Amino acid sequence: MLLVGTVIAAAVLAVMGIVPRLMARTALQQQTDTLAAPDVLLAKPQLGQPSQEVVLPGNVQAFTDSPIYARTSGYLKKWYSTSVRM
């Protein structure tokens, strides 16, 4: 009889220790799942208003000036265009 009482007492203590841990683990998992999903707002792209052009003061100047000389003497008789049409 003492052995049966000891086994029952051990089983009750085990259940009292295991059940709260399982419930806490379930609650923690649910809370983690809730907080892990980030909130995302979706919006369709729309054309915006044209922005103003920003004019800033400044100069553009060559670092070094180099003279360009012709390699031959004479004038062009005809100018051929090298533009590519697509």
Side-chain angles (χ1 to χ4, degrees):
M1 194 57 116
L2 185 60
L3 183 61
V4 174
T6 307
V7 171
I8 291 174
V12 169
L13 288 175
V15 169
M16 288 177 56
I18 293 173
V19 170
R21 289 182 184 183
L22 291 176
M23 292 175 60
R25 183 189 306 181
T26 304
L28 178 63
Q29 184 65 39
Q30 289 174 349
Q31 186 178 15
T32 302
D33 291 343
T34 302
L35 296 175
D39 295 334
V40 177
L41 299 175
L42 299 177
K44 291 186 178 183
Q46 299 174 356
L47 289 176
Q49 299 296 329
S51 60
Q52 294 179 332
E53 182 179 345
V54 177
V55 180
L56 300 174
N59 294 335
V60 176
Q61 187 174 5
F63 187 69
T64 304
D65 291 332
S66 299
I68 298 175
Y69 298 105
R71 292 187 179 191
T72 61
S73 60
Y75 295 96
L76 290 175
K77 204 177 220 185
K78 186 168 184 177
W79 184 272
Y80 294 101
S81 176
T82 60
S83 64
V84 177
R85 295 182 189 189
M86 292 189 185

